[in-house]
Amino acid sequence: MKTRTLGRDGPTVSALGLGCMGMSQSYGNRVDDASAIGVIHHALERGVTLLDTSDMYGPHTNEVLVGKAIAGRRDAVFLATKFGFVFEPGASRPSGVSGRPEYVRASLDASLRRLGTDHIDLYYQHRVDPAVPIEDTVGEMARAVEAGKVRYLGLSEAAPSTLRRAHATHPITALQTEYSLWSRDPEDNDVLATVRELGIGFVAYSPLGRGFLTGAIRTPEDFDEDDNRRNHPRFQGENFTANLALVEKVRAIAADKGVTPGQLALAWVLAQGDDLVPIPGTKRIPYLDENLDTLEIVLDRSELAAIAAVFPQGAASGQRYPQGGMAQLHR
């Protein structure tokens, strides 16, 4: 397994991680726990070390699932989870976010119990709470490092100014944000430049455009009724049609190279810098293998130029989240 380093002085992890969210929520057609655990075990056997989850996924059930999967294999895993979304008892959707120190403490202890471990390797604030100074939140996260409950700290979807303040409070090892051919905000909002300046690692979630860039999604009816993508602007109406046309162009380049559209899209992310670690998610071993085989694909300058010509920055139609989700980004 090829490896990459998270940040200038951070830990070494597999060059591709595994996002576990879809095993428990969001994308419909969920698999049973035994099948999901089989996927995680297969990933570990192929050398994947970075597993990504969150207390939000399920909510809570994905951490329980991952905890079962890594039992007896903890030493082979670089375990990342997140906190920040608040759920009322019995609720399936969050009521808001919290970065209050007491919420950090309670969330961490709950995640440790669900995961069945005494420490988390990388602990992210899932979304920044604008009502709480980031210094207070990260200060409490830093106390968890001092206590040995957490090894490294991260933020997700944070603005450059927030990153700087957080990093000044305690070294931030990784920023996680969406990044793919059709989600290239980090290139023009200074996020990518800031993490590189500060020596913070960049973890790219949804590097396959929530599955759209694989070419497997042909119509909105391909989604299950409970698939959250039905509510995302990029998967609706004229946006869907326009984005599908972009994917067809990617498909043509992939066919010329003898790879799948998803592999081409993932190889593009990997080619953007050795400091990027994508975490594509999947519920199926064949798709996991397809993603991991991408590590052997090299895109030359002419191929990267061809991709840029058919899928330039800003080409995707529609926002990447519904309006409520967009309001929680880049705080």
Side-chain angles (χ1 to χ4, degrees), residues 80-158:
T81 192
K82 315 175 195 73
F83 78 94
F85 284 100
V86 178
F87 288 83
E88 300 302 325
S92 61
R93 299 181 64 83
S95 58
V97 298
S98 176
R100 292 178 293 110
E102 61 269 28
Y103 190 74
V104 177
R105 291 193 296 272
S107 297
L108 173 59
D109 287 342
S111 287
L112 289 170
R113 287 194 299 272
R114 286 188 290 266
L115 289 161
T117 186
D118 63 356
H119 73 281
I120 290 164
D121 295 300
L122 176 57
Y123 198 44
Y124 292 101
Q125 183 181 19
H126 208 152
R127 292 292 185 271
V128 173
D129 181 355
V132 177
I134 194 65
E135 291 85 356
D136 292 354
T137 302
V138 172
E140 186 61 38
M141 295 168 72
R143 282 185 276 278
V145 175
E146 294 167 1
K149 295 181 177 182
V150 172
R151 294 179 62 205
Y152 300 97
L153 303 185
L155 299 179
S156 180
E157 295 285 3

Side-chain angles (χ1 to χ4, degrees), residues 10-325:
T12 298
V13 298
S14 52
L16 276 182
L18 177 63
C20 298
M21 179 191 75
M23 297 173 180
S24 300
Q25 71 163 58
S26 296
Y27 295 159
N29 192 27
R30 283 182 284 281
V31 296
D32 59 80
D33 280 6
S35 297
I37 289 171
V39 172
I40 294 173
H41 286 175
H42 186 74
L44 297 179
E45 287 158 8
R46 286 208 53 181
V48 172
T49 60
L50 174 58
L51 299 182
D52 183 89
T53 182
S54 171
D55 65 3
M56 178 191 180
Y57 304 155
H60 311 317
T61 56
N62 194 246
E63 286 188 326
V64 174
L65 171 69
V66 171
K68 292 177 181 177
I70 66 174
R73 305 172 187 239
R74 181 66 180 90
D75 291 345
V77 175
F78 186 85
L79 180 61
T81 192
K82 315 175 195 73
F83 78 94
F85 284 100
V86 178
F87 288 83
E88 300 302 325
S92 61
R93 299 181 64 83
S95 58
V97 298
S98 176
R100 292 178 293 110
E102 61 269 28
Y103 190 74
V104 177
R105 291 193 296 272
S107 297
L108 173 59
D109 287 342
S111 287
L112 289 170
R113 287 194 299 272
R114 286 188 290 266
L115 289 161
T117 186
D118 63 356
H119 73 281
I120 290 164
D121 295 300
L122 176 57
Y123 198 44
Y124 292 101
Q125 183 181 19
H126 208 152
R127 292 292 185 271
V128 173
D129 181 355
V132 177
I134 194 65
E135 291 85 356
D136 292 354
T137 302
V138 172
E140 186 61 38
M141 295 168 72
R143 282 185 276 278
V145 175
E146 294 167 1
K149 295 181 177 182
V150 172
R151 294 179 62 205
Y152 300 97
L153 303 185
L155 299 179
S156 180
E157 295 285 3
S161 59
T162 302
L163 273 171
R164 292 182 185 280
R165 290 167 54 199
H167 195 60
T169 303
H170 184 279
I172 299 299
T173 295
L175 172 76
Q176 183 174 142
T177 191
E178 185 172 355
Y179 188 58
S180 68
L181 270 174
W182 79 345
S183 293
R184 296 172 64 180
D185 299 354
E187 295 177 13
D188 57 24
N189 62 12
D190 287 334
V191 165
L192 200 49
T194 300
V195 296
R196 284 173 167 163
E197 175 195 337
L198 298 177
I200 296 171
F202 188 100
V203 175
Y205 75 83
S206 295
L208 295 172
R210 305 180 194 277
F212 200 81
L213 296 173
T214 67
I217 301 167
R218 310 302 297 167
T219 76
E221 299 310 311
D222 288 337
F223 300 128
D224 291 341
E225 289 297 324
D226 61 346
D227 194 313
N228 286 354
R229 287 172 291 188
R230 286 179 173 268
N231 303 317
H232 286 219
R234 289 186 176 176
F235 295 93
Q236 297 174 338
E238 293 181 356
N239 290 337
F240 186 99
T241 302
N243 291 329
L244 187 61
L246 292 171
V247 173
E248 289 304 307
K249 296 176 181 179
V250 171
R251 185 192 296 275
I253 297 174
D256 287 342
K257 191 170 179 63
V259 300
T260 69
Q263 287 179 322
L264 189 78
L266 191 53
W268 180 89
V269 176
L270 288 162
Q272 302 312 300
D274 290 340
D275 53 347
L276 274 67
V277 179
I279 51 168
T282 184
K283 297 171 283 190
R284 305 278 186 256
I285 287 177
Y287 294 149
L288 172 62
D289 284 333
E290 179 181 315
N291 290 342
L292 292 175
D293 290 347
T294 303
L295 292 171
E296 303 305 318
I297 297 171
V298 177
L299 299 177
D300 61 30
R301 289 185 179 180
S302 64
E303 291 165 332
L304 289 169
I307 295 169
V310 302
F311 212 133
Q313 184 176 357
S317 295
Q319 294 181 329
R320 57 190 178 101
Y321 282 106
Q323 196 55 46

